[in-house]
Amino acid sequence: MDRQTELFEEHRGRLTGLAYRMLGARGEAEDVVQDAWLRWRVLESEEIENAEAFLVRVTTRLCLDRLKSARAQREVYVGPWLPEPVTDAAELSPHTTAQLAEDLSYALLLSLERLSPAERAAFLLHDVFDASYSEIAAVLERKEATCRKLVSRARLAVRSEERTTEVDAAEHRRLLEGFVAAVMTGDVETFSGLLAEEAIALSDGGGKVLAALNPIYGRDKVTRFVFGIARKQQADGAEISVRAASINGRPGLLIDVDRALDQCVLIDTVDGLVTRLYFVRNPEKLERLASG
């Protein structure tokens, strides 16, 4: 392996993590990093004073270009859009000491989705990847003062979302295990008791499989939704199995129906109760997990 390739490979995981956080799709993130590699490959490494800064700049700009078409696609997306789940969160680490460095939660990714592309890039580069405002200004081709405002607005928007950055993994596992046991035994009361009164369920089928077309609000409606699906599958005689997995750095569930991966389940919690449930059923977003 030549030195230029070695330099790029040293940064590949970090670049993929940046692109995934920008785009919410692992496959697209890898495509962006491959494009960055092609641009890097035609250069002489001696021409680049700071390889990491150059690669971060190229990757971010490529992501911003992709977001233009992604936003248009998501405007016509069928039902709620959720990020593609990943099981190798550690490989996507920015390797910084920033508070949000290891946070790949759906709560954060969906908060980023509601930002403008420039706000998202500025926030990620500063608060997750620990870039200076001068570096961000070079990436976005804007004044430093403008970049400070972008980060500040994004930070306020992200913090306004009800979410936790530090997760009690044991609590997550306890709640998930409680869910599985309650659904398998038909214990509606126990299941409902694990939910916050204002719980929300988001189900992403992408128009390719059956899923709720709108968010489901409230403990009672979420409970009816989950048990409605479970009863239908049981009535159809489906073979259902549940596996625990680390998904986006948090405990989650992989549910197989008739020995094929049917959905990925993640939760957010506050004060020992589930506030949000995420059901990813879009087969395209499960393809990587299914093949792994």
Side-chain angles (χ1 to χ4, degrees), residues 77-83 202-214 225 262-264 278-286:
Y77 194 82
V78 179
W81 177 91
L82 293 174
L202 299 170
S203 180
D204 179 349
K208 305 177 189 310
V209 296
L210 186 63
L213 295 178
N214 296 293
F225 170 72
D262 179 77
Q263 60 187 290
C264 160
Y278 307 97
F279 300 94
V280 182
R281 298 203 65 221
N282 187 334
E284 292 181 356
K285 296 183 180 182
L286 297 176

Side-chain angles (χ1 to χ4, degrees), residues 98-277:
Q99 182 183 5
L100 299 177
E102 306 307 320
D103 191 350
L104 269 184
S105 68
Y106 272 25
L108 175 60
L109 294 177
L110 291 175
S111 295
L112 296 175
E113 182 70 12
R114 287 184 276 273
L115 302 176
S116 71
E119 288 172 340
R120 190 185 314 185
F123 175 80
L124 285 171
L125 289 173
H126 188 271
D127 280 23
V128 178
F129 287 79
D130 207 22
S132 68
Y133 284 111
S134 62
E135 291 171 323
I136 298 169
V139 171
L140 298 183
E141 298 181 332
R142 302 193 184 195
K143 295 180 179 179
E144 283 190 40
T146 301
C147 293
R148 288 179 184 275
K149 290 179 181 178
L150 289 171
V151 172
S152 179
R153 286 203 302 267
R155 193 180 290 149
L156 286 173
V158 169
R159 287 177 178 173
S160 70
E161 298 285 336
E162 182 183 282
R163 54 181 211 87
T164 54
T165 56
E166 294 185 8
V167 177
D168 186 333
E171 178 179 276
H172 263 56
R173 283 191 289 270
R174 176 184 66 80
L175 289 167
L176 288 168
E177 290 169 0
F179 274 3
V180 172
V183 173
M184 291 298 189
T185 60
D187 189 344
V188 174
E189 184 176 351
T190 294
F191 181 91
S192 180
L194 298 173
L195 300 176
E197 185 176 354
E198 68 282 4
I200 303 171
L202 299 170
S203 180
D204 179 349
K208 305 177 189 310
V209 296
L210 186 63
L213 295 178
N214 296 293
I216 300 165
Y217 296 96
R219 175 191 293 153
D220 293 342
K221 290 182 179 179
V222 171
T223 299
R224 287 198 295 271
F225 170 72
V226 171
F227 277 85
I229 293 174
R231 286 165 183 153
K232 184 181 184 306
Q233 291 175 331
Q234 291 167 359
D236 292 341
E239 179 185 341
I240 302 172
S241 61
V242 181
R243 295 175 281 151
S246 177
I247 303 169
N248 284 62
R250 298 189 172 194
L253 300 174
L254 298 177
I255 300 179
D256 297 316
V257 176
D258 293 329
R259 301 185 182 182
L261 182 59
D262 179 77
Q263 60 187 290
C264 160
V265 182
L266 282 169
I267 61 173
D268 289 338
T269 68
V270 174
D271 296 331
L273 294 174
V274 174
T275 55
R276 286 202 179 191
L277 297 94

Side-chain angles (χ1 to χ4, degrees), residues 12-17 21 26 87-95:
R12 180 182 290 275
R14 192 167 189 258
L15 297 175
T16 305
R21 288 168 172 83
R26 179 61 183 269
T87 56
D88 57 348
E91 294 182 19
L92 305 180
S93 170
H95 303 299

